[in-house]
Amino acid sequence: MEKLLAQWMNGLSEELTGDIMPFWVKFLGDGVHFAGRIDGCGNAHPEAGKSAVLIARMLWAFSAAYRTTGRTEYLDAACKVREFLTSRLTDRRYGGVYWEIASDGEPVSCKKQSYAIGFALYGLSEYVRATGDPAALEEAVSMFEALEKHAWDAGRGGYTEALTRDWRPLEDMRLSGKDANTYFSMNTHLHLLEPYTNLLRVWPDERVAGAVRRLVHIHTDRMFNSATGHLDLFFDAGWQPQGRTVSFGHDIEASWLLDEALAVLGDPQATADAVPVVEALARSAAAGLQSDGSLIYECDPQTGYTDADRHWWVQAEAAVGFFNMYERTGDPVFLHRSHDAWQYIRTHLLDVQNGEWFWSVRADGTVNLSLIHISEPTRL
């Protein structure tokens, strides 16, 4: 077992420092004149806009890589990305971040998507973890304050999906074209739990702790469906589920992110309440596992619809989430599931010609080159 873990750790380290991070350092260049998109064939599209989510995730990745390896090239990259985020994507008038700017730096979508602001907070808080920069902490706290002031709906007990630039109601609140246009979503709340947890690490303010605590309860009390063992994905303003689609990747991702939040929060009662859900989600996510070790995308048991594509992020979450459950329970089944996910990634998703990973492998086994090759750094 120790030999397997050592070899596995070496393989992960080699992939991170030999493939993923060099790819993104080269992609970033001078930190200003870089393409907003690279397609599935490795072609750069400098005319494409740059989204807040892309930039914020880059900031998190470079900051985390520097914090864990000490390599100065990652710090240099993190500094460039932080400057880009704060000078070009941050809305100095109304707060938060724009959704997207054009290649020339002009805002093209000024809506305030809670998901995007959450990722800006995630990137900035990780930069603080890596550097201790007090100015970056102020910027991170400002994102938290904006979300709490404008996106938190105390009457309904959740965070609204999106608002206009000046924080007024917005008719179309969807995160993407494939999402339902609903008042609340699991995905947005999950990716507020993640940055709020990270902010709590560097700014142990009781308001942040309280927000993390209530986000945990939103997942366990409102979003977790005890009848199915999965998370419901979309909700109306009264928290009624809109559809029963199961997202296996989000189930396993939520399992480990909830566990991480509980560890940082350090609240024994919250932990006791939430751990059964943490473990149930990891076990239920396994329903999407395939014989090759991969995890399919989603299904709808009511309609019989299944999307059996193997998306890169779903496999990454499977590797992380099942390993987290192995550490929690000591059950070797979870270790093997995690390792199998990594083996699938190595065999099918690594783009050895262009670097980084492919977006997905279709259900028939062919590589999907039609979608955007790059939208965020792969997280290992």
Side-chain angles (χ1 to χ4, degrees), residues 13 53 55 82 91 115 120 123 127 134 146 177 206 216 237 306 353 373:
S13 179
V53 174
I55 303 305
R82 180 208 166 191
D91 187 343
Y115 180 95
Y127 185 86
E206 181 51 40
V216 168
T306 297
Q353 179 176 350
H373 185 65

Side-chain angles (χ1 to χ4, degrees), residues 21-85:
M21 299 314 299
F23 180 95
W24 283 90
V25 169
K26 183 179 178 180
F27 168 83
L28 180 63
D30 65 2
V32 177
H33 304 96
F34 58 95
R37 173 178 175 245
I38 296 181
D39 64 29
C41 296
N43 302 309
H45 293 260
E47 78 286 354
K50 299 179 178 72
S51 74
V53 174
L54 168 65
I55 303 305
R57 287 173 166 175
M58 289 172 67
L59 177 56
W60 179 88
F62 286 128
S63 299
Y66 170 66
R67 179 176 60 81
T68 54
T69 69
R71 296 195 178 192
T72 56
E73 65 265 33
Y74 303 155
L75 176 60
D76 292 341
C79 292
K80 291 176 183 177
V81 179
R82 180 208 166 191
E83 170 61 23
F84 193 94
L85 177 69

Side-chain angles (χ1 to χ4, degrees), residues 84 151 163 177 225 229 294 305 320 323 325 331 343 361:
F84 193 94
L163 298 161
N225 187 324
S294 64
Y305 157 81
V320 174
F323 192 85
M325 279 301 293
D331 187 340
Q343 290 297 108
V361 173

Side-chain angles (χ1 to χ4, degrees), residues 114-115 143-154 156-163 173 182-193 196 207-208 210-216 218-219 222-223 235 239:
S114 297
Y115 180 95
M143 296 297 168
F144 170 76
E145 300 283 8
L147 287 164
E148 291 302 297
K149 181 178 180 180
H150 301 290
W152 170 246
D153 186 332
R156 295 184 172 94
Y159 292 85
T160 188
E161 290 294 293
L163 298 161
M173 298 189 290
T182 56
Y183 196 80
F184 295 128
S185 79
M186 177 281 304
N187 198 23
T188 287
H189 285 79
L190 184 61
H191 291 295
L192 291 180
L193 175 67
Y196 277 26
R207 289 176 297 164
V208 183
V212 170
R213 191 176 291 108
R214 74 184 176 212
L215 276 162
V216 168
I218 287 171
H219 283 82
R222 294 189 180 276
M223 295 179 172
F235 306 84
W239 283 105

Side-chain angles (χ1 to χ4, degrees), residues 190 193 215-217 219-221 224-225 229-231 248 250-263 269-286 320-329 334 337:
L190 184 61
L193 175 67
L215 276 162
V216 168
H217 283 294
H219 283 82
T220 59
D221 301 347
F224 178 67
N225 187 324
H230 300 285
L231 294 170
F248 298 107
H250 283 117
D251 281 344
I252 191 62
E253 180 183 21
S255 174
W256 78 263
L257 285 179
L258 281 166
D259 211 17
E260 179 181 63
L262 293 168
Q269 188 58 57
T271 299
D273 292 342
V275 162
V277 173
V278 167
E279 297 187 355
L281 285 171
R283 297 182 190 281
S284 296
V320 174
F322 288 127
F323 192 85
N324 180 71
M325 279 301 293
Y326 166 67
E327 290 187 310
R328 164 169 282 283
T329 66
F334 290 114
R337 288 173 179 171

